[in-house]
Amino acid sequence: MSSDGFRPLDEKSLVEYLKATPSLSVKLGDQFDKLEIKEVGDGNLNFVYIVIGQSGSFVIKQALPYIRCIGESWPMTKERAYFEASTLEEHGRLCPDHVPEVYHFDRKMCLIGMRYIKPPHIILRKGLISGIEYPLLAEHMSEYMARTLFFTSLLYLTTTEHKSAVAKFCGNVELCRLTEQVVFSDPYKVSEYNHWTSPYLDADAEAVREDNLLKLEIAELKSKFCERAQALIHGDLHTGSVMVTTESTQVIDPEFSFYGPMGFDIGAFIGNLILAYFSQDGHAEKDADRKLYKEWILKTISDTWNLFYEKFTALWDQHKDGPGEAYLAAIYNNSELQLLVKQKYMDDLFHDTLGFGAAKMIRRIVGVAHVEDFESIKEADKRAECERKALNLAKTLLKDRKTFHNISEVISAIKHLDK
Amino acid sequence: MSSDGFRPLDEKSLVEYLKATPSLSVKLGDQFDKLEIKEVGDGNLNFVYIVIGQSGSFVIKQALPYIRCIGESWPMTKERAYFEASTLEEHGRLCPDHVPEVYHFDRKMCLIGMRYIKPPHIILRKGLISGIEYPLLAEHMSEYMARTLFFTSLLYLTTTEHKSAVAKFCGNVELCRLTEQVVFSDPYKVSEYNHWTSPYLDADAEAVREDNLLKLEIAELKSKFCERAQALIHGDLHTGSVMVTTESTQVIDPEFSFYGPMGFDIGAFIGNLILAYFSQDGHAEKDADRKLYKEWILKTISDTWNLFYEKFTALWDQHKDGPGEAYLAAIYNNSELQLLVKQKYMDDLFHDTLGFGAAKMIRRIVGVAHVEDFESIKEADKRAECERKALNLAKTLLKDRKTFHNISEVISAIKHLDK
Ligand SMILES: Nc1ncnc2c1ncn2[C@@H]1O[C@H](COP(=O)(O)OP(=O)(O)O)[C@@H](O)[C@H]1O
Ligand SMILES: Nc1ncnc2c1ncn2[C@@H]1O[C@H](COP(=O)(O)OP(=O)(O)O)[C@@H](O)[C@H]1O
Ligand SMILES: [Mg+2]
Ligand SMILES: [Mg+2]
Ligand SMILES: [Mg+2]
Ligand SMILES: [Mg+2]
Ligand SMILES: [Mg+2]
């Protein structure tokens, strides 16, 4: 054990840890003989153990002081576990239906014990690759985003609550820096970490690096990401951070959370759905052309935004006389004005969403970390073709986002590019 | 003394305090017999003592746990002294020519000892009322703003430095709330604190409260003020926070400082110059019509912005390969692109400046705290006429700020309204 009380666990030492930890051992009825422990961390950063006992189960997630998929050569503060646990708790309080409960948090060990999201739940990205429809996905994700973002913004919080939470999450700076690097910087410069489907996309990757207007826009978004403390965002809300069945939707892994721009979350989710869309042709087979599935993805994108809009503004209406200090009732107390301010707020948020979503798409095609949606397409030429369409859409969205008025115009642009 | 080690001083107990405080008593050569001590706090919030001994002098500023000009009925954290001292030190390090040195800070006593800014320095606002020209004012203030804002922004800081400083200044939340209330809220609603030159401006004040488009814009600015941690701003940079001679310019009183939008500082200064401009007709006398002086004010407004632009972008050029993380050299390394990003950044900053400047003007006419520029105009009808012009300009600036392309268009608008 190091002097700060931290030691990395493995399947074996984890059992000893559980025995010594009442909040967890009680869940197992203090029975450790027939424990099933399996490390399942398919993620990029951390170790995740599923622990199943005779009378209960949970998941243990431990952060190590480096990035797992790269190794000890890329150090990364293990304090991220503290921010992940904090946000799981806060978002869980705000939206318990879609966030696993935290049973235990050990700050020294950088270890979270949380509800095991059981099979048949799978990672949404895998479901999308398999062509599975989730009829409640848009409903659930819009609910999760509307509630977590609304209630942590100045639409609901007082300035005092807001600034104190902002200060706390400034501590998660190393994870913010990682995002700054991999989303807002590396794709726009030569970097040893970047890769793409070569040689097919060589010219496309170079074009990204040479596109002045694109770089002008990504700078604006990066500033917003660094400076605008709008709400407690998840910070990594791609389709690999969502576990689903056809009935249930669970959001995990908010270790990148901090007070940032709401559009970064909404954009991450929608951007990854668009990636899923453009990858479908690579997964189509003779007897399953995925045409209908692609329609379902588009509908889900559109529903996600529209339902988010509806739910978010409904929360606003509901709490317009509440503690939030952004729009005081005594000033914004006429219905015409309320409509105006909401329209303006939501328009700005929509454009942020498109910009951040586009940035997240671009980085998955020419940056360091790619998505399985594309990576699982074996034929490189076919993959490149899918990726190029997604990349071109993303470039349009990033540069011209302010010319889009609603999500159906985005859907049209997607369809247009998919011809 | 209260249990936290705080006790409010007066002229007498201050001497005992000085005797017991080596960093201050040494400045007086440890001689206390012929001390001259004078309380001069003409400001709204705090107590300020000038201390002159035989071998040296300084100023002592102490914060009490309420707002001085209102009394104990409006409590206000005395912790503000900590943020004032921190920012005097930081801004002083960045711009020593225009910020008084801090000799001593006592956190428990909420007490700052700093350089005495000696006569013939006077408060700029008083100089403007007297019709005195300060040929170096624009040069000095643009220097102060360019340096303090540039070096505390992500154009110069790393994200790590920036977030840590942001977190610290989140602690100054009570002062931020005061600004939110008096600048962004009260003028736009019925409030017991509001007043104006009645009955002349009754309809004008009501029109502000009934102007939906104005309220839409003030909401956007309030959000920026609350959410956007762009740089360590002074937070109260009106012409009463500047002491001047024709050769020297000194900025005092940054107790409202925090990481906020740069335009709030630049706008405060320029907005107060515009108030000074519109007050001149009220100070004109038969043999001194102030026409030339008004021209000088307009030139100073224009020079302030243009010199700020020049100095700020020069710092940017100079440090483009520096530690700042907003525009990495490896991405923004071509001159065409550098021009583009600077233009965009400065355009946005210009529009913020106009918006915040306008907000500061409005609140000085229909809000709680007015300015001596107007208050010293004895005839109410004359005063109201001056104020109305300023108010109308401010409304235009706030609503249409994005249609202004440069400061000379603003000057034209001022002149147009002054016909
Ligand atoms: N609460 C949970 N219940 C079930 N499986 C989980 C849970 N949390 C994580 N997992 C599994 O572990 C994987 C990695 O978890 P994740 O939190 O995304 O870690 P990382 O931060 O390393 O990406 C997930 O993809 C999922 O398969
Ligand atoms: N360092 C200084 N040197 C000389 N006079 C000062 C100094 N600091 C403050 N003063 C005087 O005290 C007055 C009030 O100071 P200020 O810092 O503005 O207090 P407040 O926060 O109460 O507004 C100023 O208007 C100025 O006349
Ligand atoms: Mg993950
Ligand atoms: Mg993760
Ligand atoms: Mg009203
Ligand atoms: Mg003052
Ligand atoms: Mg003050």
Side-chain angles (χ1 to χ4, degrees):
Chain A
M1 194 190 302
S2 72
S3 64
D4 62 359
F6 177 81
R7 85 202 126 92
L9 294 177
D10 57 24
E11 268 98 341
K12 221 171 126 194
S13 53
L14 177 56
V15 181
E16 298 315 308
Y17 182 87
L18 300 179
K19 285 183 182 164
T21 306
S23 59
L24 293 171
S25 59
V26 69
K27 296 236 164 243
L28 304 172
D30 281 304
Q31 296 201 296
F32 305 95
D33 305 343
K34 299 201 178 141
L35 272 193
E36 236 184 88
I37 298 193
K38 203 167 58 183
E39 210 282 319
V40 297
D42 66 339
N44 291 326
L45 268 71
N46 303 288
F47 288 80
V48 177
Y49 303 89
I50 293 173
V51 178
I52 302 178
Q54 280 169 302
S55 64
S57 63
F58 46 78
V59 154
I60 297 290
K61 179 170 180 178
Q62 187 177 38
L64 267 53
Y66 53 83
I67 294 181
R68 177 180 186 169
C69 66
I70 297 191
E72 308 200 19
S73 67
W74 193 331
M76 185 49 56
T77 176
K78 54 189 167 48
E79 271 295 289
R80 62 189 188 264
Y82 167 67
F83 298 102
E84 175 162 358
S86 296
T87 300
L88 280 173
E89 280 169 353
E90 177 66 1
H91 283 182
R93 195 177 62 74
L94 296 170
C95 194
D97 287 352
H98 304 299
V99 179
E101 299 89 331
V102 173
Y103 299 142
H104 170 75
F105 175 58
D106 182 335
R107 188 157 183 184
K108 284 185 181 161
M109 288 289 281
C110 306
L111 183 152
I112 303 169
M114 69 183 115
R115 172 159 57 84
Y116 172 35
I117 302 167
K118 294 186 184 127
H121 281 96
I122 58 170
I123 288 289
L124 170 59
R125 193 184 298 286
K126 294 192 188 286
L128 294 168
I129 293 168
S130 305
I132 303 168
E133 293 187 16
Y134 297 97
L136 296 176
L137 183 62
E139 170 72 25
H140 289 169
M141 286 303 292
S142 59
E143 178 84 6
Y144 165 80
M145 295 190 294
R147 294 188 63 83
T148 58
L149 299 177
F150 178 84
F151 286 111
T152 59
S153 78
L154 283 165
L155 295 173
Y156 183 76
L157 296 182
T158 65
T159 293
T160 308
E161 296 164 325
H162 180 256
K163 282 227 191 295
S164 133
V166 169
K168 167 175 169 173
F169 281 92
C170 279
N172 205 15
V173 56
E174 281 200 45
L175 282 277
C176 290
R177 288 183 68 130
L178 182 55
T179 301
E180 286 172 36
Q181 178 183 343
V182 301
V183 176
F184 298 103
S185 299
D186 281 356
Y188 304 90
K189 66 197 250 297
V190 174
S191 158
E192 53 173 323
Y193 302 111
N194 290 342
H195 61 101
W196 52 82
T197 302
S198 185
Y200 306 96
L201 296 186
D202 289 358
D204 301 80
E206 193 186 344
V208 167
R209 294 195 302 270
E210 301 298 323
D211 190 331
N212 281 357
L213 292 180
L214 202 65
K215 289 157 116 180
L216 188 64
E217 295 303 328
I218 199 72
E220 178 174 326
L221 291 172
K222 185 179 181 183
S223 286
K224 252 192 193 154
F225 181 81
C226 294
E227 295 175 349
R228 185 165 189 200
Q230 195 178 17
L232 177 57
I233 66 174
H234 178 286
D236 195 24
L237 196 53
H238 56 82
T239 50
S241 295
V242 182
M243 298 188 71
V244 284
T245 67
T246 47
E247 270 112 59
S248 159
T249 307
Q250 305 289 320
V251 177
I252 60 171
D253 197 12
E255 64 188 323
F256 284 83
S257 56
F258 76 114
Y259 273 73
M262 296 178 180
F264 192 77
D265 271 4
I266 315 169
F269 184 67
I270 287 181
N272 274 270
L273 287 180
I274 301 177
L275 292 178
Y277 174 89
F278 281 110
S279 77
Q280 292 301 319
D281 287 354
H283 304 305
E285 282 160 26
K286 236 206 251 90
D287 54 336
D289 63 9
R290 299 270 181 126
K291 264 202 187 125
L292 285 176
Y293 193 60
K294 285 168 75 173
E295 284 300 322
W296 174 81
I297 296 181
L298 293 185
K299 182 172 176 341
T300 299
I301 291 169
S302 165
D303 287 354
T304 297
W305 172 259
N306 290 330
L307 287 168
F308 171 81
Y309 192 113
E310 224 174 76
K311 289 164 190 277
F312 190 89
T313 53
L315 287 171
W316 191 335
D317 285 335
Q318 215 173 308
H319 295 278
K320 70 178 159 46
D321 301 313
E325 296 200 72
Y327 297 85
L328 299 181
I331 305 176
Y332 296 93
N333 54 1
N334 77 67
S335 52
E336 190 199 336
L337 181 55
Q338 262 167 39
L339 211 65
L340 271 177
V341 295
K342 257 179 256 161
Q343 258 162 10
K344 185 166 154 66
Y345 193 101
M346 299 308 283
D347 276 356
D348 289 347
L349 184 49
F350 183 61
H351 296 142
D352 278 7
T353 295
L354 298 185
F356 287 120
K360 300 279 261 177
M361 291 170 66
I362 291 170
R363 75 98 155 198
R364 293 298 194 179
I365 297 167
V366 299
V368 53
H370 288 218
V371 288
E372 199 181 328
D373 311 62
F374 291 129
E375 297 302 287
S376 58
I377 301 170
K378 288 285 161 322
E379 307 88 323
D381 57 338
K382 203 175 193 181
R383 186 192 329 135
E385 204 187 314
C386 296
E387 289 175 320
R388 182 176 294 119
K389 286 179 184 171
L391 183 61
N392 286 336
L393 178 80
K395 286 167 66 171
T396 301
L397 287 184
L398 187 46
K399 288 195 272 195
D400 303 334
R401 64 193 182 280
K402 285 168 195 164
T403 66
F404 288 85
H405 300 95
N406 51 55
I407 194 73
S408 71
E409 292 179 5
V410 177
I411 304 295
S412 299
I414 296 174
K415 284 183 172 164
H416 183 79
L417 251 158
D418 193 31
K419 267 177 200 148
Chain B
M1 196 190 300
S2 74
S3 65
D4 61 0
F6 177 80
R7 89 201 123 90
L9 294 179
D10 55 25
E11 269 97 342
K12 222 169 123 194
S13 53
L14 177 56
V15 180
E16 299 315 308
Y17 182 86
L18 299 178
K19 285 184 183 167
T21 307
S23 59
L24 293 172
S25 59
V26 69
K27 295 239 165 239
L28 304 171
D30 279 305
Q31 296 200 293
F32 304 94
D33 304 342
K34 299 201 180 144
L35 272 193
E36 237 184 86
I37 298 192
K38 204 166 58 184
E39 210 281 318
V40 297
D42 66 339
N44 291 325
L45 268 72
N46 304 286
F47 287 81
V48 176
Y49 303 89
I50 293 174
V51 178
I52 302 178
Q54 281 169 302
S55 64
S57 63
F58 46 76
V59 154
I60 296 292
K61 180 171 179 179
Q62 187 177 38
L64 266 55
Y66 54 83
I67 294 181
R68 178 182 184 168
C69 67
I70 298 191
E72 307 198 21
S73 67
W74 193 330
M76 185 49 57
T77 175
K78 54 187 166 49
E79 271 294 291
R80 62 189 188 263
Y82 167 68
F83 297 102
E84 175 163 357
S86 297
T87 299
L88 280 173
E89 280 169 353
E90 177 68 1
H91 283 182
R93 196 176 62 73
L94 296 170
C95 195
D97 289 351
H98 303 299
V99 180
E101 299 89 330
V102 173
Y103 300 142
H104 171 76
F105 175 58
D106 182 335
R107 189 159 183 182
K108 284 186 182 158
M109 288 289 281
C110 306
L111 182 152
I112 302 170
M114 69 182 113
R115 173 158 58 83
Y116 172 35
I117 302 168
K118 293 186 184 126
H121 282 95
I122 58 170
I123 287 289
L124 171 59
R125 194 185 297 286
K126 294 191 188 287
L128 295 168
I129 293 170
S130 304
I132 304 169
E133 293 188 15
Y134 296 97
L136 296 176
L137 182 63
E139 171 72 27
H140 289 169
M141 286 303 293
S142 59
E143 178 84 8
Y144 166 80
M145 294 190 295
R147 295 188 63 83
T148 57
L149 299 177
F150 178 83
F151 285 112
T152 60
S153 78
L154 282 165
L155 295 173
Y156 182 77
L157 297 181
T158 65
T159 294
T160 307
E161 296 164 325
H162 180 256
K163 281 225 192 298
S164 134
V166 170
K168 167 176 169 172
F169 281 91
C170 279
N172 205 15
V173 56
E174 281 200 44
L175 281 278
C176 290
R177 287 183 69 131
L178 183 54
T179 300
E180 287 171 36
Q181 180 183 341
V182 300
V183 177
F184 298 104
S185 300
D186 281 356
Y188 304 90
K189 66 197 251 296
V190 174
S191 156
E192 50 172 327
Y193 301 111
N194 290 342
H195 61 101
W196 51 82
T197 302
S198 186
Y200 307 96
L201 297 185
D202 289 0
D204 301 79
E206 192 185 344
V208 167
R209 294 195 304 269
E210 299 301 322
D211 188 331
N212 281 357
L213 291 180
L214 202 65
K215 288 157 120 182
L216 188 64
E217 296 302 329
I218 199 71
E220 179 175 324
L221 291 173
K222 185 180 182 183
S223 286
K224 251 191 196 158
F225 181 82
C226 294
E227 295 174 349
R228 185 165 188 199
Q230 195 179 17
L232 176 56
I233 66 174
H234 177 286
D236 196 23
L237 197 54
H238 55 82
T239 49
S241 296
V242 182
M243 297 187 74
V244 284
T245 67
T246 47
E247 271 111 59
S248 159
T249 307
Q250 305 289 321
V251 177
I252 59 171
D253 197 13
E255 65 190 323
F256 284 83
S257 57
F258 75 114
Y259 273 74
M262 296 178 181
F264 192 76
D265 271 4
I266 317 169
F269 184 67
I270 287 180
N272 274 268
L273 287 180
I274 301 178
L275 293 179
Y277 174 89
F278 281 109
S279 76
Q280 293 300 318
D281 288 353
H283 304 305
E285 281 160 28
K286 235 203 253 106
D287 54 336
D289 65 7
R290 299 270 179 124
K291 264 200 185 127
L292 284 176
Y293 193 61
K294 285 169 75 173
E295 284 301 321
W296 175 79
I297 296 180
L298 292 185
K299 182 172 175 343
T300 299
I301 291 169
S302 165
D303 287 353
T304 297
W305 172 259
N306 289 331
L307 287 169
F308 172 81
Y309 192 113
E310 226 173 74
K311 289 164 190 278
F312 190 89
T313 53
L315 288 171
W316 190 336
D317 284 336
Q318 214 173 309
H319 295 278
K320 69 180 160 43
D321 300 313
E325 295 199 74
Y327 297 86
L328 298 182
I331 305 176
Y332 296 93
N333 54 2
N334 77 68
S335 52
E336 190 198 337
L337 181 54
Q338 263 168 37
L339 211 65
L340 271 176
V341 295
K342 257 180 258 163
Q343 259 162 10
K344 186 165 153 66
Y345 193 101
M346 298 309 283
D347 276 355
D348 289 347
L349 184 48
F350 183 62
H351 296 142
D352 278 7
T353 295
L354 298 185
F356 286 120
K360 300 280 260 178
M361 291 170 67
I362 292 169
R363 74 98 154 195
R364 294 297 194 178
I365 297 166
V366 299
V368 54
H370 287 218
V371 288
E372 200 183 327
D373 312 62
F374 290 129
E375 296 302 286
S376 58
I377 301 170
K378 288 285 163 315
E379 307 87 324
D381 57 337
K382 202 174 191 182
R383 187 194 326 135
E385 205 187 310
C386 296
E387 289 175 321
R388 182 177 294 119
K389 287 178 184 172
L391 183 61
N392 286 337
L393 178 81
K395 287 166 67 171
T396 300
L397 287 183
L398 187 46
K399 288 194 271 194
D400 302 335
R401 62 192 183 280
K402 284 166 197 164
T403 66
F404 287 85
H405 300 95
N406 51 55
I407 194 74
S408 69
E409 291 179 6
V410 177
I411 303 294
S412 300
I414 295 174
K415 284 183 172 165
H416 184 79
L417 252 159
D418 193 30
K419 269 176 198 148

